Structure formats: C-alpha cells, structure tokens
Amino acid sequence: MDRTPGDSGHHDSAPEQGFTVDELVYAYGAFRQLVSALEPLIQEINNETYENNDDEMDLDTIPNFLAEQRDAAPQELQHHFLSMEDFWERRLWHELTHVLVEYFKHPASGPQRIPVYNTFVASFAEKINQLELVTIGLEAAKQCRDDQERLTFLTTLAEKVNKPASQDAYVYATVAVASVKLQLGDQDGTRKQLDEAEQILDSFDSVETVVHASFYRANADYYQAKLEFTSYYRNALLYLSCIDISSLNLEEQQIRAYDLSVAALVSDTIYNFGELLLHPILSSLVNTPHAWLRDLLFAFNRGDLAAYDVLAGNTAKNALLDEHKQFLYQKISLCALTDAVFRRAPHDRNLTFEAISAETRVTMDEVEHLLMKAFSLGLLKGTIDQVDGVASISWVQPKVLDRSQIEGLRRRLRIWDEGVNELGQRIERVGQDLWAT
C-alpha cells in the first residue's frame, strides 16, 4: 500500500550512526602518517619532473653552447668539444670528466674556462667525481679577474662539495680558499680554513696525494708569510715529498730551493740539514747566481768556519740573512762544535775548553755558554766540569756526511779495525800458556 510523505512507517535500512571524538582523532592521525609516508615519493616524482625539464632544456642549449665554444677555440682544442658532446649525450660521466680535466689544464683553454664551467660543467656537477670537479674548478678560478672574485668562486665551489661522501674534495677546495685569503692579507681567515682542513685530513685513513700536497703547500705559504721559519721548512719539505719534482718548472724549483735554504739557515731549531741536502731540488741552484747559498748550507753541515768566512759576504744579498748575521755566526760555531766532537773517537770525547775555543773560534768566556746551548738544542749530550774546564761528551746528533766526513769515518773505522787486531794478538801472546794447557 502506498504511503503518504508524512507516513512514519517501518524502514528496512539501519539508521545512520555518528563518529566519536576518539575515532576522529585516530583517523586524523592515520591520515597524517599516510601523508608522511607518501612525502618522499612525491618529492622524488617532483625531482624527476624537474630533472626531466632540465634535461629537455639541456638538450636544446648544451649542444648549441658547445658548438659555439668549439668554433671559438684554438684548433688544437676543438676535438675536445666533440668528445665532450659525445660523452655528455651518452651520459658517460667518467670519460667526460677525463676530457674536461685534460681540456682545462691546457694553457690555451684559459679564456673559455669560466663560461665552459658555468654553463656546461655546472649542469652535471653532482654526477661526476667531486675531487675532479674541484680540480676543474681550480683551473677555472685562475681566470677570475681578481682575488676577490676568485674567493667568491672558490667559496661557492667548496660549499657545493661539502657533503659526507666528498670531504676530500671539500678539503681540496677549502685549502684553495685559504690560499686566496692569504693573498688578500687575511691571515686569521687563512689559519681558520687550514685548521678546519687539517682536522678533516686527520680523520681520513687515506686520501689522494694531491689533497695532502695542496694542504702542505698552503700551510708552508702561511708560515712563510708569518716568518715562522721552522714550520715553513717542515711543511715545504712535506709538500715536496707529495709531488713529483718534475711537475715544477725550473724557476719554481729554484724559488722553492732558495726559500728552503734561507729558512734552514735562519731557523733557531734546525741544525740538521740532511733532508734538504739530499733532496734533488737543491741541485736547481747549481750554476745559478744563488749557488753560493747551496755551498753555504754544506759549509754549515760540516761546521766549516773557513768556508763560512769565504761565503759570508753573500748574506748581504738577502735581507733575512743579513738581519740574522750575528745569529748565523753563533749557528756555524755550534755546527763546528758538533763536527769537532763527531771527528773524535767515542773514547776520546773529553774536550778541554781551550780545544773547543780553538775549534769554534769563540773566546774562553763563551765556551761554557756554547756548550749549554748545544745541550739545550739536543745537539750534544754530556757533562761540563767547570773547575777543570773539560766537557765530556757522550752523544752527538747524527747528520748527513759529505765526502770528506765519510773519508774521516773510514779512517776511524780502519784505526778501530787495527786496534781490534792488535788486541787479539796481545791476548794470543799473553795467553799462550793458557791455550797450551
């Protein structure tokens, strides 16, 4: 039977039920969790869309840019742009990086480095080896108009590679920033950057030699600017130990050898020049106007006062050496003292003050002070008898020997050998009866 609209007859469907507050809170929490779980996926999709858009843009702009640069490049560099485009289109990042490093290191690439880096390299910078990226960036930075522009460029580069997986590249770039700050006269900023780099380097089990070399070179330059000669000397030698000396041209070798020699002479703690004397870089001074400096180092090493007298006049050619003239004479006197002790047999190292005065050309009043100085510097060990005026030396610091010193050592060994033979013969003669029984 039909019912009127106002009829309140029975309905088969169940009545609607509302949600409680607790149920609504639970549902909202579940919804938030779902959104959080989907967020990375949404971001990834957005990134892929962005990259695809970039790729589409690159497909239009990069080939045109490379063609323009190829046409503007010197003929000997044009084939590099063909390789760049080929490897870029095929996404062969390792091969592309190799071509880029080769191109950027070519002297003729200078005028094109910055536009190629900013337009081409920057478009895929995150996809190539980050240490090689810094290498390319350092070559591009050489073309900046001034140090301030170079500092901005390198600071941006350092920030770009400052990631957990590329800390070696970050150190490499940070050291470059420190070098530019030193050029700008910001020594405090330089030290801060180098300390940060050193802290990271100390945390590595191993790192590319080029990174260590760049750090030691920048550190040496910093200490040279601060006139801290010992620290400069040590860091400069560490730098040389990290590189192939043939990578430096002859002028660079001569400058480094000259600076190292001066630092070794004026340092108040370096009395053993062996590492420098044995390094091939010192040979770059031979047959040059600075050859006297090499000869002076060898004179100090053997404590040769006569040679010092001949060469001392040349110290006026260098402001630092001229300023340290009095110190240099004290230093050669200490070298003469250690050499005098070294030339004596171990059982004959009781030297009178008169003998020391004659060997070192210091007055009798200065002998005791000279001995105390040698003891405090660790050049000698022993005791001083002030009453009898005798120094008993038990140890002398080892050092590199020249030919004459080696010949002296050979004579001492021969004397020792003869003494041993004589002692054996005496024992044989005295103990004949004993041997017979």
Side-chain angles (χ1 to χ4, degrees), residues 22-40:
D22 290 341
E23 288 173 331
L24 288 172
V25 169
Y26 176 80
Y28 177 73
F31 174 75
R32 290 296 302 271
Q33 288 179 353
L34 178 61
V35 171
S36 297
L38 291 174
E39 201 168 299

Side-chain angles (χ1 to χ4, degrees), residues 132-289:
E132 298 289 9
L133 173 65
V134 174
T135 301
I136 295 168
L138 293 183
E139 294 298 327
K142 293 177 182 178
Q143 302 303 311
C144 291
R145 289 171 297 181
D146 52 41
D147 284 334
Q148 195 59 56
E149 182 181 296
R150 189 173 295 107
L151 178 62
T152 302
F153 181 92
L154 291 173
T155 301
T156 302
L157 177 60
E159 291 170 354
K160 183 185 290 289
V161 298
N162 187 12
K163 304 168 187 173
S166 57
Q167 286 296 284
D168 55 344
Y170 177 63
V171 169
Y172 198 18
T174 298
V175 168
V177 171
S179 295
V180 177
K181 286 187 175 181
L182 187 62
Q183 291 292 328
L184 291 169
D186 183 7
Q187 293 186 350
D188 291 339
T190 301
R191 187 68 264 160
K192 182 179 179 181
Q193 300 280 178
L194 290 174
D195 286 342
E196 181 186 5
E198 185 174 23
Q199 186 176 5
I200 298 172
L201 278 174
D202 289 342
S203 68
F204 290 150
D205 292 329
S206 63
V207 68
E208 292 289 338
T209 307
V210 67
V211 179
H212 265 133
S214 68
F215 171 76
Y216 290 131
R217 179 172 186 169
N219 223 20
D221 292 343
Y222 169 80
Y223 286 122
Q224 187 176 30
K226 296 281 287 183
L227 299 181
E228 296 183 21
F229 307 113
T230 304
S231 296
Y232 165 76
Y233 179 83
R234 290 171 180 164
N235 279 275
L237 283 176
L238 285 169
Y239 162 66
L240 291 176
S241 71
C242 292
I243 66 169
D244 181 353
I245 191 173
S246 63
S247 65
L248 303 178
N249 61 44
L250 182 58
E251 184 182 1
E252 289 173 328
Q253 291 182 36
Q254 291 172 349
I255 291 172
R256 185 66 69 179
Y258 184 90
D259 291 342
L260 273 167
S261 300
V262 172
L265 290 169
V266 299
S267 169
D268 58 0
T269 57
I270 298 173
Y271 286 81
N272 190 337
F273 311 105
E275 194 170 357
L276 178 56
L277 296 178
L278 292 174
H279 202 286
I281 200 167
L282 200 59
S283 299
S284 65
L285 296 179
V286 175
N287 297 324
T288 72

